[in-house]
Structures are given as structure tokens and as C-alpha cells.
Amino acid sequence: RFSIPSPKMPDPAFLSRAGPLDGFAPISLAEMDAVKLMNRVDTKYLTDRATLADVLRDAAAAGYRVLVADGSRISPYDSIYFDTEGLRMFTDHRNQKLRRQKVRTRAYVNSGDAFLEIKRKNNHGRTKKKRTGIPMADLPDFRANDAACRYLAGHSDFEAGQLRPTLETLFQRITLVNPDLTERLTIDTNLCFKNFRTGLETSLGEAVVIELKQDGHAASAMKGILRDHR
């Protein structure tokens, strides 16, 4: 779907500067079941690779663990976002509407797993996510999958016929978990985008998107680390 190359695999030199990641104790996907946080509060941060290296060193010292999935500490993701002809979901987000939704398909490239995901945000700032497995072949467009279409209708305000693929994102993700297993931190690098309506493709270059996911506004060592690094 991209004419530009997919995001390159992480640069070993960057990993060396970043901690390295093997300085973290690992956590498995099975252990992560305790930290699914499908109903959660998200806080987003933006930084660059140079600052991320310092954040990772402090996180390792604070006892955070790194997810190891399919033998890797960095996982590639491929997501397709769907929207209406009038871009209702995008517009609701840009207008900061309190109650809003997102519909996407997502592939966990290393494992080969793919899902249809529906995210709903309520007027208390909480995000609830529902998802169902789909074949990898349905990642670009699930609308011919009857079971997925029924799932969409049952868990969102939309019917499959109202939607079409709008945006693709590719990125590499590092996932950290705090020692108490009460929060997750996702760190996304090598972010690339394709707009299906215009055909335009771009990337965020050295930018890094960090998201802290918590079951409420609890105290967090990571918030302190991120604040210290501004």
C-alpha cells in the first residue's frame, strides 16, 4: 500500500544510546494480560530520539519492564483507519468532541495477528477499546467480512457501508510496564503515514510519540520522569 519503503528496522546504534533496551527486565505477553487497560485514561507526549534515550535510562532505573513479543523488544505495527465520506470521526477528534469514536484495523506484524478495533472516548476522558480478530488479508479492508461487519454494528455507531479506508500508519513500538503492573507506556518511532484520499505519504522523522495508559489518574513515576525531561 505504501510506495515509499516501510519504516526501517530500529538502528542498533540508537538502541545502544537508548539505554540500551536490554537493560530492562522483560515482561511477556501473558504477564501483560494483567495490564490490558481496555478502559483507561490516556496521556500523550511528543519528544525526539535524543530525549527518548534519557527517558529510557530513567525508566529502567525506576524498575519499568519492557515487553518482549516474538523474541523482540521493538514491534512493528500496521494500522488502517476508517471514516465516513464526510470524515466524521476525524472532525469529532479535531473539534475535541468529548464523546467520539475511532474504527481501525491493526496488524501486529511480528506475530501475524490482525484485529478490527473500535475505540470510544466518553465525556470523562476515559477510552474503551473493543476488538475482534480478523484474517490478515482483511487488514486493508474488512468490509467484505460479515462477522467483522456485525461486530462493528454491535459495538459502534457505524455500519460498514458508511466507512471506507482513509489513513494508514506504520510505526515501531516499545512497550514499558511499571513494577506494580498498573500502567503501560507505549513509545512509537519511525512513524509513517499514507492518506488514501490524496495518495500523499509522509513521516515524522526523528519525532517520538509517547502514550501513558492508566486505569485512572493515579500517581505515576513515569509522569515524573517525563516532566523532568520536559
Side-chain angles (χ1 to χ4, degrees):
R1 294 175 298 277
F2 273 75
S3 59
I4 59 174
S6 297
K8 64 183 180 182
M9 292 306 293
D11 175 9
F14 164 64
L15 295 186
S16 177
R17 294 193 304 271
L21 282 178
D22 57 14
F24 287 84
I27 185 170
S28 68
L29 280 171
E31 292 175 283
M32 281 277 290
D33 282 347
V35 209
K36 282 185 177 178
L37 301 178
M38 302 298 270
N39 179 5
R40 67 194 187 218
V41 175
D42 300 334
T43 311
K44 296 180 176 66
Y45 304 83
L46 182 67
T47 188
D48 56 29
R49 283 188 171 193
T51 305
L52 174 61
D54 296 329
V55 169
L56 289 174
R57 279 192 287 269
D58 289 351
Y64 281 76
R65 300 164 68 186
V66 65
L67 173 65
V68 178
D70 301 296
S72 178
R73 294 166 185 251
I74 299 186
S75 301
Y77 284 58
D78 187 351
S79 303
I80 310 288
Y81 287 83
F82 292 76
D83 211 333
T84 65
E85 180 67 29
L87 298 177
R88 174 180 158 186
M89 284 179 266
F90 171 76
T91 303
D92 285 350
H93 178 84
R94 286 298 301 272
N95 291 341
Q96 299 182 346
K97 186 175 179 179
L98 295 181
R99 295 180 181 270
R100 57 184 189 262
Q101 300 176 45
K102 290 180 183 176
V103 176
R104 71 185 178 206
T105 54
R106 169 163 285 180
Y108 298 83
V109 178
N110 285 349
S111 68
D113 294 328
F115 297 89
L116 169 65
E117 300 187 341
I118 300 152
K119 297 179 72 175
R120 304 178 70 110
K121 180 162 282 189
N122 66 23
N123 58 356
H124 300 292
R126 298 190 71 90
T127 300
K128 295 184 178 181
K129 183 170 78 171
K130 298 283 188 180
R131 70 181 190 180
T132 185
I134 58 173
M136 183 67 77
D138 289 343
L139 177 73
D141 194 344
F142 69 91
R143 293 175 297 172
N145 182 323
D146 290 341
C149 291
R150 289 193 298 271
Y151 190 87
L152 174 74
H155 292 90
S156 80
D157 295 339
F158 300 94
E159 301 284 343
Q162 299 175 270
L163 306 180
R164 70 179 191 179
T166 301
L167 178 74
E168 182 171 18
T169 68
L170 291 171
F171 56 87
Q172 305 282 344
R173 171 165 288 182
I174 300 165
T175 300
L176 304 183
V177 181
N178 69 334
D180 295 330
L181 303 182
T182 57
E183 68 181 32
R184 283 191 283 118
L185 191 79
T186 57
I187 302 168
D188 297 340
T189 64
N190 293 333
L191 293 110
C192 295
F193 308 89
K194 178 171 183 176
N195 184 322
F196 288 126
R197 292 171 179 244
T198 64
L200 293 175
E201 300 173 356
T202 190
S203 77
L204 291 188
E206 292 291 304
V208 176
V209 176
I210 297 175
E211 188 170 44
L212 180 62
K213 309 168 194 291
Q214 300 173 284
D215 186 12
H217 296 285
S220 167
M222 183 54 67
K223 282 187 175 179
I225 292 170
L226 294 170
R227 182 175 60 250
D228 290 343
H229 292 289
R230 298 184 178 274

